[in-house]
């Protein structure tokens, strides 16, 4: 490691380089690599630690959410101070990760991954790691990975169960072909409905991280070729062979079509401007214009709201009990309802009312 020679950290990676399949050569590859981690909650925080501790040169983190007390049971990078400060997860994670390994270029984005930013976020990455909690974002990531030729390491957990698979453009099928686009509309078990065992998170993140290290160090022949699912409570582990690309799929098939109906459908739902987040009594409303947080803070304070503020967001507890969490990129998380019409009405009443603010 050229950048560590002569420093007190020169043996930082010694236990990793002594592992023969990695060696000094693999370590240099890690230092030159760039990884995008989408979602820095439970899986994502663990994945980020693995990548940063292993010495991946650039780690990009993207997360749209902020730290809450209910995260602390399983999201290993966060603590009570982060929750009290209502820090965005990407920011809180980056702070911790830079303290763990200052050699890594950690880039944090507080954003929702969408069709408008996903190409740029993934551009130049050797791998995309799935730390998300919903099928629609995963499908979007799978699409962009197959367009850009970047492997996508899928992971999902709920309860004591989890799944993981590595999707490689040109070798395996894409996520659309594996789970079907319809799942984005009909997610059954989520961490919010059935809870989640923290050890399941670490198990799945560990599987994802192992495949990531294999890929980044050039050990492609060692990649697991299976779709793996596990239940840690009953301990049942099942593996099935990864299917290859499907001929008529416009992402993983041989015959690439120019347009895709699923893509069109996604574009339409984005234009509606709201998303119900992972069954947790929260609606995300996208206003499509940047928000002036300083002025909104004053305005909402004058409307009888209880305000919490930091550099990254404003949280306003409304007199009616719901909370609005406002981000400068124009997103509003409306907490305390899963009724999207009602959430949009609250945004109109409290945010759009002051038109000059947006
Ligand atoms: Zn496909």
């Amino acid at each position: 490691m050229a950048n560590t020679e002569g420093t007190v950290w020169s043996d930082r990676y010694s236990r990793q380089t002594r592992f023969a399949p990695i060696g000094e050569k693999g370590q240099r590859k890690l230092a030159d690599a760039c990884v995008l981690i989408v979602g820095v909650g439970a899986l994502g925080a663990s994945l980020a630690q693995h990548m940063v501790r292993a010495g991946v040169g650039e780690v990009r983190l993207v997360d749209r959410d902020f730290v809450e007390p209910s995260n602390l049971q399983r999201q290993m990078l966060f603590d009570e101070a982060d929750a009290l400060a209502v820090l965005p997860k990407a920011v809180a994670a980056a702070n911790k990760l830079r303290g763990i390994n200052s050699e890594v270029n950690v880039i944090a984005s507080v954003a929702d991954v969408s069709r408008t930013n996903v190409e740029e976020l993934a551009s130049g990455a050797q791998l995309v790691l799935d730390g998300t909690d919903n099928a629609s974002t995963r499908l979007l990531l799978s699409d962009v990975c197959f367009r850009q030729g970047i492997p996508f390491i899928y992971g999902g957990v709920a309860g004591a169960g989890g799944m993981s698979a590595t999707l490689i453009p040109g070798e395996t099928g894409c996520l659309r072909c594996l789970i079907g686009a319809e799942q984005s509309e009909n997610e059954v078990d989520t961490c919010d409905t059935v809870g989640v065992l923290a050890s399941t998170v670490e198990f799945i993140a560990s599987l994802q991280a192992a495949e990531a290290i294999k890929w980044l160090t050039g050990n492609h022949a060692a990649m697991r070729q299976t779709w793996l699912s596990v239940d840690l409570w009953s301990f049942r582990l099942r593996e099935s062979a990864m299917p290859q690309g499907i001929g008529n799929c416009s992402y993983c098939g041989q015959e690439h079509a120019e347009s895709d109906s699923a893509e069109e459908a996604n574009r339409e739902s984005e234009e509606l401007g709201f998303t119900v987040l992972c069954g947790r009594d929260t609606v995300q409303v996208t206003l499509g214009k940047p928000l002036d947080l300083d002025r909104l803070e004053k305005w909402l304070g004058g409307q009888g709201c209880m305000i919490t503020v930091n550099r990254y967001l404003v949280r306003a507890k409304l007199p009616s009990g719901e909370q609005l969490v406002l981000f400068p990129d124009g997103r509003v998380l409306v907490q305390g309802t899963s009724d999207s019409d009602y959430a949009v009405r609250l945004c109109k009443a409290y945010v759009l009312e002051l038109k000059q603010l947006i």
Side-chain angles (χ1 to χ4, degrees):
M1 287 296 298
N3 60 345
T4 59
E5 276 168 10
T7 74
V8 292
W9 310 115
S10 58
D11 68 344
R12 176 192 284 271
Y13 304 114
S14 60
R15 301 307 185 273
Q16 193 162 269
T17 53
R18 279 177 212 172
F19 181 63
I22 296 180
E24 295 291 342
K25 194 173 154 204
Q27 195 62 47
R28 281 192 293 276
K29 287 188 173 177
L30 289 174
D32 290 337
C34 167
V35 167
L36 169 66
I37 302 174
V38 180
V40 196
L43 285 174
S46 187
L47 290 167
Q49 275 208 71
H50 278 283
M51 296 303 106
V52 164
R53 289 184 190 275
V56 171
E58 180 175 314
V59 175
R60 299 179 190 164
L61 311 172
V62 193
D63 195 286
R64 63 188 178 185
D65 219 338
F66 59 93
V67 182
E68 296 180 271
S70 65
N71 301 148
L72 301 181
Q73 162 256 357
R74 68 195 177 286
Q75 303 192 7
M76 302 293 187
L77 275 178
F78 307 130
D79 57 32
E80 292 176 358
D82 299 323
L84 284 170
V86 203
L87 280 184
K89 289 182 184 178
V91 172
N95 291 345
K96 301 278 163 50
L97 293 165
R98 289 177 186 130
I100 288 169
N101 191 344
S102 59
E103 292 172 353
V104 174
N105 183 20
V106 178
I107 300 171
S109 304
V110 183
D112 192 21
V113 172
S114 68
R115 291 199 175 268
T116 53
N117 62 9
V118 68
E119 298 279 353
E120 193 184 335
L121 287 166
S123 173
Q126 276 80 60
L127 264 186
V128 175
L129 301 184
D130 178 15
T132 68
D133 58 6
N134 66 88
S136 57
T137 309
R138 287 190 180 111
L139 291 170
L140 177 61
L141 292 172
S142 168
D143 295 350
V144 74
C145 283
F146 275 75
R147 266 203 298 272
Q148 295 194 13
I150 306 168
F152 175 56
I153 306 189
Y154 159 78
V157 289
M163 283 192 260
S164 182
T166 301
L167 312 178
I168 304 175
E171 292 183 28
T172 72
C174 73
L175 198 62
R176 266 178 209 286
C177 292
L178 287 172
I179 69 171
E182 74 281 0
Q183 279 215 0
S184 63
E185 307 303 323
N186 291 311
E187 288 180 80
V188 191
D189 290 347
T190 71
C191 299
D192 300 300
T193 56
V194 299
V196 61
L197 199 65
S199 48
T200 313
V201 173
E202 295 308 301
F203 188 95
I204 295 297
S206 189
L207 293 176
Q208 290 176 278
E211 297 308 304
I213 296 295
K214 290 180 201 174
W215 183 264
L216 296 173
T217 55
N219 287 286
H220 296 182
M223 301 292 289
R224 198 185 75 239
Q225 309 280 331
T226 60
W227 172 277
L228 185 148
S229 67
V230 68
D231 185 308
L232 288 188
W233 208 252
S234 57
F235 203 75
R236 288 207 186 95
L237 193 143
R238 210 174 59 202
E239 285 187 277
S240 27
M242 282 295 292
Q244 294 184 331
I246 293 174
N248 60 0
C249 172
S250 56
Y251 295 98
C252 66
Q254 309 301 317
E255 308 135 25
H256 291 266
E258 283 304 308
S259 70
D260 179 74
S261 59
E263 192 172 336
E264 297 301 324
N266 269 357
R267 211 170 277 147
E268 275 168 32
S269 73
E270 268 176 30
E271 279 163 16
L272 292 175
F274 57 81
T275 327
V276 180
L277 284 181
C278 189
R280 45 158 235 195
D281 220 18
T282 297
V283 179
Q284 175 174 277
V285 179
T286 306
L287 301 175
K289 288 180 182 173
L291 292 172
D292 182 337
L293 293 190
D294 288 342
R295 298 181 69 191
L296 270 168
E297 177 196 346
K298 290 193 188 82
W299 159 257
L300 289 165
Q303 303 298 305
C305 302
M306 267 176 56
I307 305 291
T308 313
V309 66
N310 61 36
R311 283 174 56 196
Y312 312 99
L313 56 84
V314 170
R315 182 174 65 181
K317 185 161 187 181
L318 306 181
S320 49
E322 295 85 4
Q323 293 195 131
L324 302 182
V325 183
L326 305 122
F327 294 88
D329 65 359
R331 288 182 304 120
V332 184
L333 297 180
V334 184
Q335 293 187 315
T337 180
S338 47
D339 177 343
S340 50
D341 292 338
Y342 180 61
V344 169
R345 281 205 301 281
L346 287 177
C347 286
K348 281 181 178 159
Y350 284 95
V351 185
L352 298 178
E353 183 70 11
L354 211 61
K355 286 204 173 60
Q356 67 269 33
L357 290 179
I358 66 164

